[in-house]
Amino acid sequence: MGIAIIGGGVAGITAALDLADSGFKVYLIEKNAELGGKMAELAECKTGLSPKIVEIENHPNIELLLSSELESLSGSAGEFKLNVSGNEIEAESVVLAPGYDVFDEIPKSYAIANPDVVTSLEFEGMLRSATASETGELLRPSDGKRVKKIGFIQCIGSRCQENEICSTACCAYTAKEAWEVKERYPDMDVCVFYMDIRVFGKDEELAAELKDKYGVKYIRSRVPEVIPENGALSVKFENLEKGTIDKLDLDMVVLAVGLLPSKTLSRLAEITGVKTDKYGYIETSITNPLETNVEGLFACGTATAPMKVRESVAQASGAALKAALLSERTEMIPGQEERKYVEAGEEPKIGVFICGCEGEVRDCVDIPAVAERVSQLKDGVFVNSETNTMEEAMEAIESGIVDQGLNRIVFAGYTPRKYEDTVRDRCAKAGLNPYLMEMVNLREQCAWVHEPKEATESAAGLIAMAVERARYLEEIPVERYPVIPKALVIGGGVSGMNAALGIADAGYEVYLVEKEPELGGSLREEIGLQSGEKSSDVLTEFVDKVSSNERINVYTNAKVEDVTGRAGSFKAKIAGEGANEDIDFGACIIATGTDESVPEGYYGYGKDKNVVTQPEFGKMLGGTLSANTVVMIQDVGPDGGVNPKYGSIELMNNVLKAKEKNPDLNVFVLYQDIKTYGKWEVLYKEAREKGVIFLRYDKDKPPKYEDGIVSVHDVILNDEIQIKPDLLVLSTPAMPAEENERLSKMFKIPLKNGFFLEAQERPKMKLTPVDTVNEGVFICGSAVYPALIDECIAMSSAAASRACVLLAKDFLETPAVTSVVDELICSGCGVCVDMCPVEAIELTEEPVPVVTFGVATVIGGTKRIAKVNDGCMGCGSCASYCPSGAMSLKHFRDKQVYAQLDYAV
Amino acid sequence: MKGTELKQEDLEGLFKGLLDKKAVDCLVLPHKVGNNVAYMLVKDGDKIESPAASAIFAPSFGVNAANIVKGWTIPERVGIVAKPCEIRAAIELIKLKQMDKESVLLISADCSGAFTNQDYADHAGEIGDWVDSAKINELKGKGIAIREACAICENRLADVGDIIIERVDGGKVLVAGITDMGDEALSSTELSLEDKDVERQAEKEKIAADAKKEKEELPKMSSVEELEEFLRDCIACKNCRDMCPVCYCKECFFEQPLGKPVGGDLLNLAELRSAIGVPTNQLLYHLTRIYHVCTTCVGCGACEDACPKDIPLTRLYPLIAKKVQEIFEYVPGEDAEEPLPFITYEEEELEDKLR
Amino acid sequence: MEEAKEGFEPKIIGFTCNWCTYAGADLAGTSRKKYPPNIRIIRLMCSGRLDPMFVLKVLLNGADGVFIGGCHPGECHYIKGNFYARRRIAALRTILKQFGLDDRVRSEWISASEGDKFARVMKEMAEDIKKLGPNPMRDKIL
C-alpha cells in the first residue's frame, strides 16, 4: 500500500518528497499534464521548483499519475481504495493538496478590459519578458510606450462582498513586485493602493524599505476605480490619509488579485466526504490544522485557507507526517546503499558533457563549435555534446564512467546550485567519486544572459577553466556513519510538544527539554482561543498525550548545553534541576517560542492599574468586566520585539468577547494597520458591525495618555480626539525567547531580530521553512516568527516530518567539503581558530619527537598545530587567511583555484 | 605606572637583578662587538657588559631581536631588551602564538632612530652611543643618515612591552613596569618603586609630525610598471622575508610548488603564457608578502637592511602596511590582547573601501 | 574619465559565493537579464574563501578586472565569512591603490534575490574597465 497525494503543486510536491525520502510508497496525482501547479506558471518560481520536479520524476518510491483525477474513494483509514482516472490505487492515507484558483470576477470598475490593466500574475509575466527584451524596458501593452508611472491596487477579490476574507498573500507579493520594478526601473513612479499593509516577518522589513528607501508611495485608500481617459489611466480613490477623493494619472495598473479555493475542491469534497467551510475551503481546526473530518484524509496548503508558499510548504510537510503515521514503510530509502568507487587513478581522463538543456542552451550557444574548441585542449579530453535533457546527459555520463573509464567529469549545462547533488549522485552510482565532477553553468550564466556569439565564446572559456580545474580535483573519501534514531526537542510549548508527539508517534525516542518547571509555554496563560476553546483544555490534552507517551522523555527546569556533532549524530548535555544527562540524538527541533514583553513605562503601564496588556485583558475577560469604555492601542513598545502575526487577531478576539459580556461597552481601537489575516478578517468585520470604533494614528504621532485621558490625532478627521477610558489595553510586540541567543551560538543558526532564520533556498520562495543552515536542526513555531497557534502546530508537524525523514535513514555521509591541515607546514598561529565561525578548529600541542642527526640531538619539545574537527561547515575562511597554505579547503584548494585562474585570462 | 629613576650606569645592576632574582631565566641584550652592536643571550649576570646603556641606546640596527627569538621553543622565561619596533614585533608574534606571553619579559628602550649597522660601525666614533634630533641632522649633513625606516617611524619612544626604559634628563633613565608582569619583575629586584608619570606627549607628537613629513618626501609609486622597475634588481633571494620578524610561516608559500613551480608545472605555465620570467612569480611574491604582513608590519626596516641589492624596501613594506593599518585604525604591537585586524570586524565598516 | 579604448574587450574574473551572489547571477539568468560577456565566474562556497592572493595572481596574469561578490553583511551563510572578506578586500585594495590597480577590483554584496543588481554591476564594471583600458600587466613576461 502507500499514500496518495492529490495535487502536484508545491504542497503536493513537498509532501511527496518528504514521504518518499523516508521510505513510503507515494502516488502523486495531478490533474494537469505537468507538475508544478500555480507556482510553475511563474517563470522564476518554475526554475526554483524544477529540481524538485526532476527529483520526483526520478524517485523510485513515487508513482506519478499526471493528467489524472480522483473519481472515487472508498474504504477507510488504513485501507482506502481510490479510482484515479480509471486506475485502482490502494492507500492507507490520502493528502489533499488541490491548491487554489485566483479570483477572476473582477468588477468592471477596474477596467480590466483595458490592455493596460493587468492582474499581478499577468504582470509577473510582463516583467519577465520586459527584462528579456532587447531594451529591457517595461512597455505599455496598449501603445508600446515606456511605462513611467505604475499603480498596484490591492485587495481585488479579497475583503470584499464577493470574498469577505483576506487572501493573506497579496500584500507580500505586491511588495515584491513593486520592489522588482524599483530595482529594475529606479526612476519609475510606483504607488500601491491599500487598506492595511498585512505583512509579517521579513516582508515587514521589505515594505518599510519600499517606503523609505525606494520611494514607493503607499496610498491608504478605499474603493479605487480605474477610469481610462484619452489613452491614459486615471485612478479615482478615497484617500484615507486625508479623507478626500483624489485622482491619480498612471500609465499602467496592476490588480493584486486574491485567492479562492480551487475550483476542483467542491467535487473533491463530494467524492471524499471532506467537509468544507462557508468559504469553500477544507475545514480544519485550530488545534488540528491538517486533519479533515474524515480519518485518514489530510489537507494542506491553500486548500485549507489562503496562505503564502512558506506556510503551504510547512503544512505539506506536516500533513506528510500525519499521513505517514497511518502507513507502513515498504520501500528502500534512496542513497542508503553503500557505494563502491573505482580508483580514479593518477592520469586524469576527462570527459566533458555539454548538454543542450532542452534547447535552452543549444538554441543560443553554438555547441558544435564549443565542442570543437574543447577537444583541442591540451592532453585531449573526451567531449560529448549530443545530449539535450538532464536524463540523457546523466545516462551519457554514467556510460562514460563505466564504459570509457573516464575519471574526471565536466558537466556543462544547468546551474550547479540546483543540480549538483543530482549529478554527483549519478557519478557515484556509476562508481566515480562524486567530487571528481565539475559543473559549468551554460544555461543561467551564458545562454540566458548573452547574445549567441558571445555566449559561445563565454561557454568555451568557462569549460576550459573547468577542465583545468577538473585535472586537479581529488577524490574525497565519503564516509558513512550511523544515524541515531532519537530526537531532541527544545521548548515544551505547544510547538515543542506537538513536534515531540509527531516524532514519537513515528517510532523514535524523543528528549523534550523545557526550561520552566512545567510544560505548556505561553498556553499556560489562561486565555480563550480564537476558536472559542480554552487554552487550558488544549494544553491539558497535549500535556496528557506527552506524559503518557513512553517514547518521550520530558525534562523540565532543564537546559541543553554543549552541543557537538552533526546531522544524524549529535551529542549534548541536559543540565538543570535534578538532570545532568549526556544524550545523543540524530535530529533536533528548536521550538523556543516567544517571551512576553512588558511595556514598562509605556502609557503608565506598571504604575496605573487601569493600563493592561492585551493578554492581561484576555484573562480579565474570564471574570466580570466593569469597564464602560475601553481604549486599545496597537503597536506599543518596548523595542527589541517584532509584531506578532496574531496581534490584531488577538485584539479582535478580545474585543468581541468583551462586547459579548457587555454589549454597551464603548471600544476604541487605535491602530496603524489592522492585520486580520485570512478567515480572521471576519472578526474585524464583526467588530465594526458591533460598533467598535477604529481610529488610525500616525507612527510619528502616537497617542498620549495623561491624567486618565487618551488623546490621539485621528488621521482621517485630521483632528485630535480625546477619550477617557476606564481601561487602556496595550498590544505589545512579541519578544524572542531569551534562550535564542545562546541556542543560536550553540547550534550555529543565525538569528534575525532575535528569531531563527530558515535556510534560504531561493530568493522569493521559502521551500524549506523549517530547515536551517545546520542540517539536522529544525525550527518551528514562534521561534521562527510569532505565529498563530494553528500555524505553530502545522509548522511543528512539519519540523517533526523533516526530522523523521532524517531519522528514517540508517546512514549519512560525512560532509566532504571541509578544511584540512597540512601538519608539516602549520605554524600553529591559531588565527584560524579565532576566525572559525563554528569553532571547528582547535589548537593542539603535539610533542616534537627527539631527533638525532649523527652526534647532534635536536631536543624535543611541543609544537602547536591546528586541527579541524567534525563541526567544519566548509566556508574556507581559515584557508584564505593561512599565509603558508597549511590550511586548505577540500575541493577548493589553492591549486584547484589557481588552475582555473591560469586558464581564465 | 610604577617605576624608578636610575643612573644610566645602574642599568647593569637592574638586568643582573632580573637574572639573579629569577624574574627571567635568561636575557637577550645588545652588546658592543668592536665598533658594532649585536645581541647576546645572557645566562650569567656577570657577563653583562658595562656600561650596558651604551649598547642599549646605541643607534644601530642589525637584526630585529624578535626575529632572533621567534621560534625558540625553550622552556625558560626570556627577557628581551630592545628597541620599541622590536618589542612591537614580539607583541605581534605573541598574538600569532609564535611566542608565549608568559615566557617573555619585554623591555623596550627609547630609540632615536638608528643607522644600519654597517654605517654605525663605519662612523661609530662620530655617532656615539646616542643621537638626538640635532645630532641626526648634523650627521645627515655629513652624508651619514639614519635608516629610512627610522626616519619615518612615529613610535620611537619606549612605550610598549612589560617594562620601559626612558631616557630622562641628567644622564638618567626612568625604568617602569607597564604591565603586571613588568611590575612584578621590577619589584623582585628590590628597587624602590614609586608612581611615575613622565609627560612625553609633546615629544611624541613632534616625532610623529617629523616622521610624517619625512614619509611625505619619500618617492611614491603610482603604477604597477613602477613597481616592476622598483624591483628590477630583485634576485628573489627572499632575504627580506627571512629577516622579517612578523613573517612566521614554517614553510613559505613561495617555497611550495604553487609559489615556486618546478618541473611539469613550470613548463605548463610557460606553455600557457608563451613565456614567463624566471625565477617565476617574483612580483606575486612581493605583492603577496605585502598583503601577508600588512597588518603586522612594525616598520622596523629589517627587510631593507637584508636586501643584498639595496632595494629600498621600506618604501614598499612599511610604507604600504601603514596605509592598511590606518584603515583598521590599528597600530601593531600596542597590546598583546588586542585582536589582529583580520580576525575581528565591525558589523558596519569599510564599505567605501570595496569598490 | 577618458573614453573607452576602441575594440578593447576587458577580461573580468568574478569570484562569487555559492549562496548569494552565484544565486543572484543565476537569477539574472532566469529573468533573462542581459549583461556583457566579459565575466568569467569562479564559484567559491563563501566570499570568506577568497584569498587575496587569487586576486593578485589573476591581475598579474593580465586580467583587466576582478569582481568579488558575497552575501550582504550579516546574511552570510557561514555567519561571518563575508565580514572577514570585507576586511581582506579593503586591505587588498589599499595595497593595490599604491600601484593604480585598485579600480580594477570591485566587490559588491549581491543577494540571491538581486539578479538585477548582478546584471547592473556586470554592465557597470565592463564599462568602467573599458575606460581604464587594458591591464598594463597583460602580455608582460612575468
Side-chain angles (χ1 to χ4, degrees):
Chain A
M1 289 235 255
I3 297 158
I5 297 171
I6 297 173
V10 64
I13 286 173
T14 305
L17 282 176
D18 268 11
L19 288 167
D21 284 345
S22 30
F24 292 94
K25 174 81 191 168
V26 175
Y27 301 94
L28 183 57
I29 301 154
E30 165 58 42
K31 66 175 194 298
N32 292 323
E34 274 180 51
L35 289 177
K38 283 282 178 301
M39 263 181 73
E41 289 175 21
L42 307 170
E44 184 204 315
C45 296
K46 190 179 179 183
T47 319
L49 204 54
S50 48
K52 294 212 179 248
I53 295 176
V54 170
E55 220 179 301
I56 288 203
E57 286 167 345
N58 293 300
H59 209 297
N61 299 349
I62 300 179
E63 194 165 315
L64 198 50
L65 295 111
L66 293 171
S67 306
S68 304
E69 275 180 81
L70 180 68
E71 278 162 7
S72 71
L73 177 130
S74 60
S76 58
E79 42 179 16
F80 286 114
K81 280 195 169 52
L82 291 82
N83 184 321
V84 179
S85 296
N87 296 315
E88 282 288 333
I89 292 170
E90 290 185 351
E92 289 133 321
S93 51
V94 180
V95 176
L96 305 174
Y100 66 95
D101 272 308
V102 291
F103 180 80
D104 57 2
E105 290 163 27
I106 299 166
K108 285 208 172 62
S109 58
Y110 293 112
I112 186 71
N114 189 297
D116 298 335
V117 179
V118 297
T119 66
S120 27
L121 270 150
E122 290 164 346
F123 183 65
E124 191 95 14
M126 275 184 70
L127 261 184
R128 303 281 150 236
S129 41
T131 22
S133 74
E134 199 102 320
T135 57
E137 292 296 345
L138 184 67
L139 305 176
R140 205 149 72 151
S142 62
D143 57 5
K145 279 194 188 144
R146 201 154 63 86
V147 176
K148 288 180 194 145
K149 289 184 277 184
I150 192 166
F152 292 84
I153 306 180
Q154 297 218 190
C155 298
I156 307 291
S158 309
R159 304 177 67 185
C160 61
Q161 265 182 341
E162 296 84 353
N163 178 25
E164 60 180 349
I165 66 177
C166 161
S167 290
T168 310
C170 346
C171 281
Y173 77 61
T174 299
K176 273 171 195 147
E177 284 182 356
W179 172 78
E180 274 196 67
V181 167
K182 271 302 201 184
E183 271 286 306
R184 279 171 208 196
Y185 315 107
D187 299 332
M188 201 181 289
D189 273 348
V190 180
C191 59
V192 179
F193 299 94
Y194 75 105
M195 292 197 276
D196 296 282
I197 306 180
R198 292 188 176 170
V199 288
F200 59 92
K202 262 198 144 180
D203 295 334
E204 204 160 24
E205 280 167 44
L206 177 66
E209 239 185 28
L210 282 176
K211 285 193 254 185
D212 305 340
K213 194 176 132 199
Y214 289 89
V216 171
K217 288 191 272 299
Y218 268 82
I219 303 171
R220 198 182 291 264
S221 55
R222 213 157 40 195
V223 285
E225 194 182 334
V226 184
I227 307 162
E229 275 175 342
N230 321 322
L233 297 172
S234 173
V235 175
K236 198 174 129 194
F237 58 96
E238 184 188 343
N239 189 326
L240 293 179
E241 304 286 341
K242 298 175 193 153
T244 52
I245 303 289
D246 289 349
K247 255 171 109 175
L248 200 65
D249 290 334
L250 296 168
D251 300 325
M252 251 195 96
V253 167
V254 181
L255 306 177
V257 286
L259 276 51
L260 293 175
S262 165
K263 289 188 174 121
T264 59
L265 187 51
S266 56
R267 176 138 191 272
L268 192 62
E270 223 171 275
I271 295 172
T272 55
V274 161
K275 258 196 229 159
T276 52
D277 61 19
K278 61 175 170 170
Y279 313 107
Y281 291 102
I282 297 175
E283 197 170 278
T284 56
S285 72
I286 282 193
T287 45
N288 288 308
L290 308 169
E291 280 152 32
T292 70
N293 58 308
V294 182
E295 201 200 337
L297 297 191
F298 303 94
C300 61
T302 45
T304 64
M307 62 181 72
K308 292 180 18 185
V309 170
R310 169 193 181 131
E311 286 74 35
S312 281
V313 171
Q315 283 209 343
S317 272
L321 177 73
K322 299 266 173 194
L325 297 181
L326 294 175
S327 185
E328 194 81 32
R329 188 177 298 148
T330 52
E331 310 298 311
M332 293 282 292
I333 296 174
Q336 289 287 282
E337 63 276 18
E338 194 161 5
R339 295 262 162 78
K340 292 248 183 312
Y341 301 121
V342 289
E343 283 281 325
E346 287 285 299
E347 250 342 277
K349 217 174 150 191
I350 304 174
V352 179
F353 295 80
I354 309 171
C355 179
C357 302
E358 293 96 34
E360 294 287 354
V361 169
R362 192 171 297 282
D363 293 348
C364 177
V365 174
D366 183 349
I367 292 184
V370 173
E372 175 58 28
R373 278 174 64 180
V374 173
S375 63
Q376 305 290 319
L377 290 171
K378 77 165 190 205
D379 297 347
V381 294
F382 168 83
V383 185
N384 173 318
S385 56
E386 309 302 316
T387 62
N388 201 41
T389 65
M390 183 75 181
E391 192 47 40
E392 285 169 20
M394 292 307 102
E395 280 163 18
I397 288 176
E398 283 181 2
S399 134
I401 295 167
V402 176
D403 304 330
Q404 288 163 284
L406 298 175
N407 60 17
R408 301 284 189 287
I409 300 295
V410 173
F411 176 47
Y414 306 87
T415 173
R417 285 264 310 147
K418 287 289 158 189
Y419 293 93
E420 197 165 44
D421 287 346
T422 313
V423 188
R424 278 185 182 157
D425 197 53
R426 296 297 281 264
C427 288
K429 256 190 206 155
L432 184 73
N433 185 291
Y435 295 93
L436 297 175
M437 188 278 302
E438 174 68 10
M439 284 177 80
V440 185
N441 193 343
L442 295 190
R443 192 179 68 172
E444 276 82 350
Q445 296 180 10
C446 286
W448 281 352
V449 290
H450 304 323
E451 299 305 326
K453 200 170 151 254
E454 297 164 334
T456 302
E457 184 62 33
S458 181
L462 286 170
I463 295 176
M465 286 162 69
V467 166
E468 202 50 32
R469 170 171 156 82
R471 281 185 216 286
Y472 291 93
L473 288 179
E474 299 164 336
E475 296 170 276
I476 304 181
V478 182
E479 280 162 31
R480 305 194 325 159
Y481 58 94
V483 172
I484 300 161
K486 295 184 208 170
L488 166 68
V489 177
I490 302 174
V494 63
S495 298
M497 287 192 288
N498 186 52
L501 284 167
I503 298 171
D505 288 343
Y508 307 104
E509 200 179 327
V510 181
Y511 302 100
L512 177 60
V513 179
E514 166 60 45
K515 65 177 195 308
E516 298 294 325
E518 56 189 82
L519 295 173
S522 43
L523 270 193
R524 282 178 301 149
E525 299 286 338
E526 182 57 61
I527 44 169
L529 298 175
Q530 297 88 324
S531 55
E533 287 163 279
K534 271 205 233 150
S535 61
S536 53
D537 297 343
V538 176
L539 181 61
T540 314
E541 201 186 320
F542 268 109
V543 172
D544 286 350
K545 275 196 210 160
V546 166
S547 18
S548 62
N549 194 314
E550 54 188 28
R551 292 202 192 96
I552 304 179
N553 309 297
V554 178
Y555 299 79
T556 48
N557 274 327
K559 277 184 176 181
V560 175
E561 287 173 359
D562 304 335
V563 174
T564 56
R566 64 163 79 99
S569 180
F570 290 105
K571 278 190 194 319
K573 199 167 91 184
I574 298 177
E577 270 175 46
N580 193 351
E581 196 177 328
D582 291 321
I583 56 165
D584 42 17
F585 51 99
C588 173
I589 292 176
I590 298 178
T592 44
T594 52
D595 281 350
E596 212 174 312
S597 64
V598 184
E600 200 68 58
Y602 287 81
Y603 300 100
Y605 180 88
K607 284 185 200 125
D608 187 335
K609 65 173 175 33
N610 292 328
V611 183
V612 297
T613 63
Q614 202 60 256
E616 286 167 344
F617 181 62
K619 259 183 274 177
M620 289 167 73
L621 291 171
T624 51
L625 183 67
S626 55
N628 288 319
T629 302
V630 174
V631 171
M632 296 187 171
I633 309 179
Q634 279 209 144
D635 303 325
V636 177
D639 295 341
V642 302
N643 284 330
K645 199 179 166 191
Y646 50 77
S648 293
I649 299 166
E650 180 188 34
L651 178 144
M652 295 300 165
N653 195 37
N654 284 346
V655 164
L656 290 174
K657 262 194 238 148
K659 284 294 268 186
E660 207 171 289
K661 269 195 175 328
N662 177 2
D664 297 329
L665 182 73
N666 296 310
V667 185
F668 298 85
V669 177
L670 315 185
Y671 71 102
Q672 292 176 55
D673 286 291
I674 294 288
K675 301 183 182 180
T676 40
Y677 296 93
K679 298 173 194 171
W680 305 115
E681 175 70 10
V682 296
L683 298 182
Y684 182 24
K685 197 174 159 215
E686 201 185 328
R688 279 180 320 214
E689 283 166 2
K690 293 215 164 127
V692 174
I693 294 167
F694 290 87
L695 299 170
R696 204 168 62 73
Y697 70 88
D698 202 86
K699 198 171 110 195
D700 304 323
K701 287 183 196 160
K704 288 195 186 75
Y705 180 58
E706 273 161 5
D707 305 326
I709 292 171
V710 174
S711 42
V712 59
H713 182 91
D714 179 75
V715 181
I716 297 169
L717 298 174
N718 192 20
D719 204 358
E720 188 163 286
I721 293 176
Q722 295 199 327
I723 312 160
K724 190 174 188 304
D726 307 315
L727 208 54
L728 183 61
V729 184
L730 309 176
S731 287
T732 57
M735 308 306 254
E738 210 187 318
E739 279 282 281
N740 289 3
E741 198 76 39
R742 192 178 69 89
L743 293 171
S744 155
K745 288 207 181 88
M746 208 159 64
F747 284 101
K748 284 105 190 175
I749 304 168
L751 298 176
K752 185 108 192 174
N753 299 328
F755 293 90
F756 288 96
L757 209 58
E758 72 276 19
Q760 291 166 10
E761 277 220 352
R762 288 286 301 179
K764 300 194 177 176
M765 291 192 300
K766 300 287 164 56
L767 294 182
T768 55
V770 297
D771 292 43
T772 68
V773 291
N774 190 353
E775 205 196 326
V777 183
F778 306 93
I779 47 178
C780 65
S782 296
V784 189
Y785 63 89
L788 293 150
I789 182 163
D790 52 339
E791 285 178 325
C792 288
I793 290 174
M795 241 198 278
S796 51
S797 290
S801 179
R802 301 293 301 149
C804 288
V805 170
L806 178 70
L807 297 178
K809 294 180 177 162
D810 294 327
F811 294 98
L812 282 176
E813 289 176 352
T814 51
V817 179
T818 53
S819 289
V820 277
V821 183
D822 183 336
E823 297 187 0
L824 290 175
I825 298 177
C826 176
S827 308
C829 72
V831 169
C832 52
V833 175
D834 292 333
M835 211 169 227
C836 181
V838 292
E839 290 158 33
I841 310 176
E842 298 150 64
L843 212 52
T844 56
E845 299 233 343
E846 303 238 323
V848 179
V850 177
V851 189
T852 308
F853 297 102
V855 284
T857 299
V858 177
I859 295 167
T862 55
K863 59 171 180 178
R864 294 192 186 92
I865 286 176
K867 281 245 158 72
V868 181
N869 66 33
D870 277 356
C872 176
M873 298 198 298
C875 67
S877 281
C878 51
S880 314
Y881 171 79
C882 188
S884 66
M887 185 67 86
S888 311
L889 179 63
K890 281 187 255 176
H891 210 55
F892 293 91
R893 289 182 189 268
D894 285 343
K895 63 179 174 193
Q896 292 162 340
V897 179
Y898 265 49
Q900 273 171 297
L901 294 181
D902 281 338
Y903 279 75
V905 183
Chain B
M1 60 190 186
K2 282 205 178 309
T4 183
E5 273 184 21
L6 298 175
K7 286 193 201 128
Q8 284 198 15
E9 51 267 38
D10 292 338
L11 275 173
E12 297 90 288
L14 169 71
F15 298 142
K16 196 169 180 305
L18 289 172
L19 280 169
D20 290 347
K21 300 294 176 190
K22 292 277 173 210
V24 293
D25 299 306
C26 51
L27 206 51
V28 171
L29 202 62
H31 71 131
K32 287 266 175 88
V33 182
N35 269 349
N36 219 332
V37 183
Y39 282 103
M40 61 177 174
L41 177 67
V42 186
K43 280 292 277 184
D44 181 349
D46 292 339
K47 282 302 237 185
I48 294 169
E49 287 172 23
S50 184
S54 75
I56 290 167
F57 295 117
S60 167
F61 190 101
V63 185
N64 188 310
N67 198 44
I68 301 174
V69 178
K70 175 174 76 184
W72 280 0
T73 47
I74 53 176
E76 297 199 334
R77 182 187 272 187
V78 187
I80 304 170
V81 183
K83 298 183 200 314
C85 59
E86 299 171 272
I87 298 301
R88 284 178 184 271
I91 290 170
E92 289 302 289
L93 289 169
I94 288 171
K95 295 181 192 174
L96 291 163
K97 301 199 172 55
Q98 306 302 303
M99 265 182 211
D100 280 333
K101 191 167 182 290
E102 300 308 316
S103 64
V104 282
L105 183 73
L106 302 176
I107 305 168
S108 67
D110 276 353
C111 169
S112 58
F115 299 85
T116 64
N117 57 355
Q118 299 94 309
D119 280 352
Y120 183 74
D122 292 348
H123 306 281
E126 264 170 291
I127 298 169
D129 292 344
W130 173 254
V131 284
D132 54 19
S133 55
K135 183 88 181 274
I136 289 174
N137 281 331
E138 180 201 320
L139 287 164
K140 199 175 173 186
K142 294 185 190 166
I144 312 167
I146 55 168
R147 301 155 73 244
E148 221 160 59
C150 297
I152 64 167
C153 173
E154 296 172 24
N155 299 304
R156 290 179 231 173
L157 296 183
D159 56 359
V160 288
D162 301 302
I163 295 172
I164 55 173
I165 304 177
E166 292 178 359
R167 291 175 69 99
V168 287
D169 292 339
K172 284 187 165 180
V173 290
L174 170 72
V175 179
I178 56 171
T179 64
D180 289 345
M181 227 169 97
D183 282 344
E184 275 166 36
L186 284 183
S187 313
S188 72
T189 59
E190 290 159 18
L191 284 172
S192 63
L193 302 174
E194 52 200 89
D195 281 331
K196 287 276 177 197
D197 213 2
V198 181
E199 181 52 51
R200 302 210 289 178
Q201 197 54 36
E203 199 182 346
K204 248 184 196 168
E205 278 164 20
K206 165 97 174 46
I207 292 170
D210 289 348
K212 280 203 178 99
K213 211 168 130 246
E214 293 277 352
K215 202 163 67 183
E216 290 311 311
E217 283 166 12
L218 289 183
K220 302 268 171 354
M221 281 175 259
S222 62
S223 73
V224 68
E225 289 108 316
E226 283 175 67
L227 174 66
E228 231 190 327
E229 177 60 24
F230 179 83
L231 293 169
R232 188 191 60 202
D233 298 337
C234 173
I235 53 169
C237 67
K238 295 164 187 161
N239 219 25
C240 48
R241 169 198 71 197
D242 294 343
M243 288 300 116
C244 176
V246 295
C247 247
Y248 67 96
C249 290
K250 201 175 273 180
E251 187 176 57
C252 176
F253 190 85
F254 287 90
E255 302 302 336
Q256 298 172 34
L258 268 184
K260 191 179 177 181
V262 290
D265 291 344
L266 189 65
L267 287 176
N268 276 346
L269 211 57
E271 193 185 329
L272 186 70
R273 298 180 53 88
S274 304
I276 51 170
V278 280
T280 196
N281 281 345
Q282 251 192 67
L283 217 52
L284 184 63
Y285 160 77
H286 284 288
L287 283 171
T288 303
R289 220 182 82 71
I290 298 173
Y291 171 71
H292 280 173
V293 303
C294 70
T295 62
T296 48
C297 171
V298 294
C300 70
C303 45
E304 178 167 333
D305 286 359
C307 182
K309 292 301 203 179
D310 294 331
I311 302 173
L313 289 173
T314 298
R315 298 173 198 177
L316 195 63
Y317 292 112
L319 207 60
I320 295 178
K322 186 104 180 101
K323 292 201 190 290
V324 175
Q325 290 160 11
E326 274 164 16
I327 70 168
F328 298 129
E329 293 171 16
Y330 181 77
V331 181
E334 287 284 292
D335 178 0
E337 302 300 326
E338 189 183 358
L340 291 162
F342 284 141
I343 57 173
T344 178
Y345 57 85
E346 303 281 331
E347 305 252 327
E348 284 172 32
E349 61 172 0
L350 302 170
E351 289 293 328
D352 58 329
K353 304 273 186 296
L354 306 179
R355 48 195 77 94
Chain C
M1 275 276 188
E2 56 179 311
E3 274 311 293
K5 304 267 188 308
E6 211 150 307
F8 161 57
E9 279 304 328
K11 290 184 174 173
I12 302 173
I13 310 305
F15 296 94
T16 68
C17 76
N18 178 55
W19 306 97
C20 290
T21 307
Y22 193 91
D26 270 3
L27 180 60
T30 334
S31 37
R32 309 296 199 280
K33 191 87 191 163
K34 300 264 189 268
Y35 55 84
N38 307 74
I39 184 93
R40 298 281 180 274
I41 291 179
I42 292 175
R43 183 171 64 127
L44 303 172
M45 292 314 280
C46 177
S47 54
R49 174 63 189 102
L50 183 96
D51 187 334
M53 231 177 129
F54 298 163
V55 179
L56 294 171
K57 162 99 180 161
V58 82
L59 280 175
L60 293 179
N61 277 5
D64 302 300
V66 177
F67 165 75
I68 303 154
C71 306
H72 284 269
E75 292 177 11
C76 176
H77 186 83
Y78 303 100
I79 306 162
K80 41 195 185 180
N82 57 358
F83 286 128
Y84 296 139
R86 182 166 61 188
R87 288 212 151 196
R88 289 181 189 140
I89 296 161
L92 174 73
R93 285 184 85 261
T94 305
I95 294 167
L96 291 174
K97 197 176 160 102
Q98 314 309 314
F99 311 115
L101 288 173
D102 56 325
D103 286 342
R104 297 185 182 275
V105 179
R106 170 168 176 176
S107 60
E108 290 288 347
W109 314 123
I110 298 177
S111 77
S113 58
E114 293 175 317
D116 285 303
K117 184 173 179 188
F118 181 84
R120 177 171 51 91
V121 170
M122 289 304 112
K123 268 186 209 154
E124 288 173 6
M125 242 193 121
E127 283 161 21
D128 291 349
I129 291 179
K130 274 184 190 170
K131 283 179 199 152
L132 285 176
N135 179 348
M137 288 292 109
R138 240 194 207 195
D139 301 324
K140 284 234 171 167
I141 295 175
L142 279 181

